[in-house]
């Protein structure tokens, strides 16, 4: 059965570019398998969007099962780990893709829209960026201190944990 809408080519193609569709599928499967948050929750959506951007903008395809699967998982883990400048990496990759492919790439348009949603949607959460640690103590988080954060700041550690559980 053909989709009702097309991507403007008039050829009856998919409305969503395959690379972006695969990235969203991989992100969704990783989060569902991790079972960290309820599917459909705002936290889940933040994690799925963050992981989808990471997969889409990363090197190679979104295939997490092929011969290079471990290399891809390692790359995604490195990109999502605490302390990695993920926000800057996303901005740089989006700009590089736009320069290389122009505005004709439908996957890039969806990635930019996803990034705008991640930046524009704020969630009330414990401020993980304000970790405090004594000289000989483990880092401590005051869970009663909640702040409004861009949703990617919550989705990033959630995505990283889902990758670790894979």
């Amino acid at each position: 059965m053909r989709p009702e809408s097309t991507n403007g080519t008039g050829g009856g193609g998919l409305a969503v570019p395959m690379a972006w569709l695969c990235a969203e599928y991989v992100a969704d499967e990783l989060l569902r398998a991790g079972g960290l948050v309820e599917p459909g929750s705002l936290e889940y959506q933040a994690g799925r969007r963050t992981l989808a951007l990471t997969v889409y903008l990363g090197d190679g395809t979104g295939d997490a099962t092929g011969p290079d699967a471990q290399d891809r998982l390692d790359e995604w883990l490195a990109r999502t780990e605490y302390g990695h400048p993920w926000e800057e990496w996303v901005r740089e990759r989006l700009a590089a893709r736009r320069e290389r492919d122009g505005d004709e790439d439908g996957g890039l348009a969806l990635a930019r829209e996803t990034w705008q949603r991640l930046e524009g949607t704020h969630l009330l959460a414990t401020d993980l960026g304000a970790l405090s640690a004594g000289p000989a103590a483990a880092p401590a988080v005051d869970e009663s201190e909640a702040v409004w954060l861009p949703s990617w700041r919550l989705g990033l550690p959630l995505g990283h944990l889902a990758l670790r559980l894979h």
Side-chain angles (χ1 to χ4, degrees):
M1 177 158 71
R2 293 196 168 244
E4 291 182 20
S5 65
T6 66
N7 62 1
T9 61
L14 286 175
V16 179
M18 190 57 77
W20 181 256
L21 188 65
C22 288
E24 283 191 324
Y25 175 79
V26 168
D28 192 60
E29 287 298 308
L30 287 167
L31 281 173
R32 284 184 191 276
L36 297 168
V37 292
E38 188 68 32
S41 67
L42 291 175
E43 294 85 358
Y44 184 88
Q45 294 302 319
R48 185 180 62 80
R49 288 177 179 146
T50 301
L51 271 177
L53 263 180
T54 304
V55 170
Y56 181 77
L57 295 174
D59 294 329
T61 67
D63 183 13
T65 59
D68 297 328
Q70 189 58 51
D71 291 340
R72 285 189 197 95
L73 285 172
D74 289 344
E75 178 196 352
W76 301 337
L77 276 167
R79 297 282 182 221
T80 59
E81 75 183 357
Y82 184 77
H84 182 273
W86 187 83
E87 178 183 16
E88 291 84 15
W89 177 79
V90 168
R91 290 178 191 279
E92 289 169 5
R93 297 296 290 207
L94 287 172
R97 288 265 179 108
R98 186 174 190 185
E99 187 176 307
R100 185 186 75 198
D101 300 334
D103 288 328
E104 300 300 315
D105 182 1
L108 180 59
L110 290 169
R112 285 197 332 251
E113 180 182 325
T114 297
W115 176 238
Q116 289 170 351
R117 284 186 181 180
L118 284 168
E119 282 191 303
T121 304
H122 286 71
L123 302 174
L124 189 60
T126 300
D127 187 7
L128 297 177
L131 292 175
S132 62
V141 175
D142 183 0
E143 293 184 27
S144 65
E145 288 292 321
V147 295
W148 289 98
L149 300 171
S151 61
W152 68 265
R153 289 184 150 273
L154 186 61
L156 195 60
L158 184 61
H160 185 78
L161 285 173
L163 287 165
R164 283 267 177 222
L165 293 172
H166 183 270

